[in-house]
């Protein structure tokens, strides 16, 4: 299969961001207990509408009316696991784009088995760190808890494998984020290390990804996932520049997401 690297442009990102703000998508988040509040605030700052509907009997019906769905495996208690499978199946049936974030898969048996079941339901996008993506593809055993012990470029073969096998766009996070649909690959080299010092700094990106997928053009999933990554990581830079530490960064990051515009993307976006 022919593969190529493409560059993400500020115009592509700003067009999708403007569309998201003009028609705010409703994003259903089945996510972990540690990051629920931060994730909801990130979506609100971006211009989307969050809904934390994650119990059986409601998760499926809600996925049918949501604009996009996030399934994050950070704290997958039994009831939520059933809700996640229900939501993924309903999203597929309704044509709702959904994102799988396979938090800490590999060494932990319950979430790893659940991730395999969800993967078989063909998520629109998969977002994780390098060790998670490698483990999800069956090419490694995972990182140190939620922390990656691999770099994004080393996870590219695993990302390509997942994309080709399951029809998903795969985003591997790191200093340079690598996003691929199995044919085309985009790299985004923005962000700041303070994102790793805030609870939910990585997990909330899955929700942002679902929001951008909700406003994507037909066949535009790769651009949407890459744009979500770009908006998120570019916004982290002015927030970090003004921050005294992780606490002020978290508040500043929400402000930066709300204020981000085309000029910021033109000045800061690094894609190759």
């Amino acid at each position: 299969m022919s593969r190529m690297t493409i560059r993400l442009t500020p115009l592509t990102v700003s067009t999708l961001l403007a569309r998201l703000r003009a028609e705010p998508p409703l994003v259903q988040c089945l996510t972990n207990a540690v990051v629920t509040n931060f994730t909801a605030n990130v979506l609100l700052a971006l211009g989307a509408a969050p809904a934390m509907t994650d119990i059986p009997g409601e998760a499926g019906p809600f996925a049918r009316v949501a604009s996009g769905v996030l399934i994050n495996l950070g704290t997958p208690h039994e009831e939520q696991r059933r809700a996640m499978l229900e939501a993924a199946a309903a999203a597929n049936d309704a044509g709702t784009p959904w994102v799988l974030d396979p938090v800490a898969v590999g060494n932990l048996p319950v979430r790893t088995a659940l991730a395999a079941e969800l993967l078989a339901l063909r998520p629109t996008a998969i977002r994780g760190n390098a060790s998670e993506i490698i483990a999800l593809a069956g090419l490694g055993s995972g990182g140190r808890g939620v922390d990656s012990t691999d770099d994004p470029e080393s996870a590219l073969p695993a990302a390509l494998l997942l994309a080709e096998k399951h029809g998903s766009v795969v985003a591997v996070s790191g200093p340079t984020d690598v996003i691929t649909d199995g044919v085309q690959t985009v790299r985004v080299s923005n962000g700041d290390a303070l994102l790793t010092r805030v609870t939910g700094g990585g997990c909330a990106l899955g929700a942002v990804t679902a929001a951008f997928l909700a406003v994507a053009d037909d066949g535009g999933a790769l651009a949407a996932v890459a744009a979500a990554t770009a908006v998120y990581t570019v916004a982290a830079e002015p927030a970090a520049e003004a921050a005294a530490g992780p606490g002020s960064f978290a508040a500043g990051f929400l402000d930066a997401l709300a204020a981000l515009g085309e000029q910021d993307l033109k000045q800061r976006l690094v894609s190759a």
Side-chain angles (χ1 to χ4, degrees):
M1 181 180 292
S2 176
R3 295 182 179 133
M4 66 184 76
T5 297
I6 62 172
R7 180 176 173 270
L8 182 67
T9 67
L11 178 60
T12 297
V13 180
S14 59
T15 298
L16 285 167
L17 178 59
R19 189 181 302 166
L20 186 155
R21 288 170 171 167
E23 301 177 7
L26 176 62
V27 182
Q28 179 184 8
C29 301
L30 297 90
T31 192
N32 75 75
V34 182
V35 306
T36 303
N37 183 69
F38 187 74
T39 298
N41 283 335
V42 162
L43 286 172
L44 289 168
L46 183 69
M52 277 47 188
T53 309
D54 67 348
I55 61 173
E58 292 186 355
F62 202 94
R64 294 178 182 277
V65 300
S67 310
V69 177
L70 165 66
I71 296 179
N72 173 296
L73 306 188
T75 54
H77 56 76
E78 182 177 358
E79 185 177 62
Q80 192 185 57
R81 295 199 300 274
R82 289 189 283 118
M84 288 173 172
L85 291 167
E86 179 184 302
N92 282 347
D93 188 56
T96 307
W98 66 282
V99 177
L100 173 63
D101 190 337
V103 178
V105 298
N107 290 317
L108 299 174
V110 172
R111 74 189 62 218
T112 300
L114 175 61
E117 289 187 77
L118 290 165
L119 194 57
L121 294 173
R122 299 174 67 85
T124 313
I126 301 165
R127 195 219 70 81
N129 66 40
S131 294
E132 291 164 348
I133 296 302
I134 291 169
L136 189 64
L139 302 179
S141 59
R144 189 187 66 170
V146 298
D147 296 328
S148 180
T149 55
D150 300 279
D151 66 86
E153 287 299 327
S154 71
L156 182 55
L160 291 167
L161 178 64
L162 290 169
E164 292 167 4
K165 184 175 181 180
H166 300 285
S168 308
V169 175
V170 183
V172 188
S173 61
T176 292
D177 295 86
V178 179
I179 306 105
T180 186
D181 62 1
V183 177
Q184 300 181 111
T185 298
V186 180
R187 291 173 175 81
V188 176
S189 299
N190 290 98
D192 191 271
L194 280 173
L195 275 172
T196 66
R197 303 283 302 280
V198 174
T199 299
C203 294
L205 177 52
V208 171
T209 300
F212 271 87
L213 283 168
V215 300
D217 296 318
D218 289 342
L222 177 65
V225 176
T229 302
V231 165
Y232 199 82
T233 56
V234 167
E237 295 179 353
E241 290 165 6
S248 54
F249 170 77
F253 180 57
L254 297 177
D255 291 341
L257 277 171
L260 191 74
E262 183 176 1
Q263 194 59 34
D264 300 299
L265 291 162
K266 286 180 178 178
Q267 291 176 348
R268 293 182 181 270
L269 178 61
V270 180
S271 175

